[in-house]
Structures are given as structure tokens and as C-alpha cells.
Amino acid sequence: MLNPPAVTAQAPARTAAIWAALDPLVTAGPPLRVLDLGGGSGMFAVPLAQLGHQLTVVDPSADALATLHRRAAAAGAGEQVRGIQGDGDRMLAALPEGDLFDLVLCHFVLEVVDDPASTLAQIAGVLRPGGQLSIASANRAGAVLARAVGGHPVEARALLADRDPAPARSGPARRRFSPEELLSLLAAAGLEPGEWRGVSVVADLLGASSGADQAALRTLELALAEASPYRDVATGLHVLATRP
């Protein structure tokens, strides 16, 4: 049995709601096989590996995976982490055939994949029955508010209509989702979504240089994460969904 302290108390305020949802899954019971899709340099993977779980991280960036392995080794969890170069649209091709996982993390990946529905269907295919998906995505309402507060009302209006807020900039526009859209995508993939939370209700608005007491800010984020109307304007959305 794993018996570490809860990780939420050490989490950054902006991701405290995600860690709070994961805590019951990752701090009790036997070690889990975890897939972190788009996990990059290991912000979630390394702490989970330190708790004793087996991590597979799929990410398109070789540099990010190299950082992941350095961080895992420095944390004494190098043997718990496997990095595979690949992207979310073709994750099944990147993974060994027959790999199944108890928990999949897909945090802020749906915004950039070619087809979110296909990515979620692939995730459902690698979850064991009863396994869970931790999904986080950008919240359209939060993006509208952030652009407006930042002094960009034209971009805010574009986001409100689900249009590219800055088409003159290089690179494809990122998707944003409403809670209803995210829950519908999960259900269409054959997953059973739970209650949604807001991620970074106020932390991103305050910014890293605000000087706010981080413990107090973390406590506030957790209080707001499940309460409307506050969660409705958070930077991100988070849902735990289960494969039947």
C-alpha cells in the first residue's frame, strides 16, 4: 500500500484543483500504471513516480522528454518513468501493443490535437475497465475574461464566438471548450464523466508576481473549484472520467 502525504498541499495554486481530484486515486492502494499524454517535462509524472507509480509519458518533444528523465533521475524515480516520443493524434502507434493503464492524464492536450474525439477514443482504448482519465482543457469563458481583463476586448469578443482571437499571429488557433462540450466529448468516447471543476479560477489572473500568500491562494482555489459562478470563469476545466 502507498502511504505518502497528500500531494495537494505542495501543488502550485493553479493546479491545486487537479491534484485534489487525483489525491484519492494516487495516495492510497497499490501502485498504478499511469499514462501521461503530452506530459512534457514531468510536472505531473515525476511527483506521481515519487509516489511509487509506473509512468509512461508520451510527448512529441525530444527536449521535453530529456528534461523529464533528468528530473525523474534527480528525484530518485528514474526507474519509474518511461518516455516515448509521439503525439496525441497517433498515441496508439507510439505505445506497445496491448498496453493498458489504470490512469491516463491528458492535461491541456485537446486544444492542439487534430481531432479531440479521436484522441479521446484512443485513450478509452488503452484504459482498463474501471480505469480513469484525468482530463483538463482550456475553458472558453475563462479565456474571454482573461483577454478582456488584459485589455483586449476585440480578442475577447472573438473568443466568445469561438473564433481565432488573433488570426494575424503565426501558428494555428488553440481550441477552448465549454463544460458541456467537454462532457459531451467524454461521453461520446464511451467514458463516464464525473463532476467538472474549475482550474486556476484566480491564480492566473493574479499572476506569478502578485505577492499573494501561496498557501492561502491554494486554499481559495480549492474552495472555488467546485462552486459556480466562480468555476465557470476559470482558466481551465477538469474532469475525472471512468471507463465502464
Side-chain angles (χ1 to χ4, degrees), residues 7-8 10-22 43-44 107-108 136 197-201 203-204 218 221-222 238:
V7 292
T8 303
Q10 288 78 43
R14 69 180 312 274
T15 58
I18 298 177
W19 280 112
L22 290 175
M43 181 174 66
F44 280 85
H107 296 160
F108 301 103
R197 298 175 181 226
V199 176
S200 187
V201 178
D204 283 349
R218 188 182 302 113
E221 283 288 348
L222 294 176
H238 180 258

Side-chain angles (χ1 to χ4, degrees), residues 68-93:
L68 163 73
H69 287 297
R70 287 196 298 270
R71 290 184 62 193
E79 294 185 0
Q80 304 294 114
V81 175
R82 170 179 60 163
I84 299 176
Q85 191 170 5
D87 58 53
D89 294 297
R90 290 169 289 278
M91 57 173 287
L92 292 182

Side-chain angles (χ1 to χ4, degrees), residues 104-206:
V104 175
L105 312 182
C106 181
H107 296 160
F108 301 103
V109 172
L110 292 188
E111 293 84 346
V112 297
V113 296
D114 291 339
D115 184 348
S118 172
T119 296
L120 288 173
Q122 292 178 66
I123 289 172
V126 299
L127 270 173
R128 65 164 180 78
Q132 293 191 282
L133 164 65
S134 171
I135 182 90
S137 71
N139 179 22
R140 185 178 300 118
V144 170
L145 178 63
R147 295 298 174 95
V149 170
H152 303 285
V154 174
E155 293 186 7
R157 282 289 302 273
L159 283 170
L160 185 63
D162 199 20
R163 300 195 310 271
D164 186 348
R169 296 177 188 169
S170 60
R174 294 169 61 88
R175 297 182 191 87
R176 279 87 174 177
F177 300 89
S178 69
E180 295 76 18
E181 289 166 341
L182 184 58
L183 294 174
S184 294
L185 280 167
L186 291 167
L191 300 169
E192 296 178 349
E195 184 73 9
W196 67 274
R197 298 175 181 226
V199 176
S200 187
V201 178
V202 294
D204 283 349
L205 293 175
L206 292 174

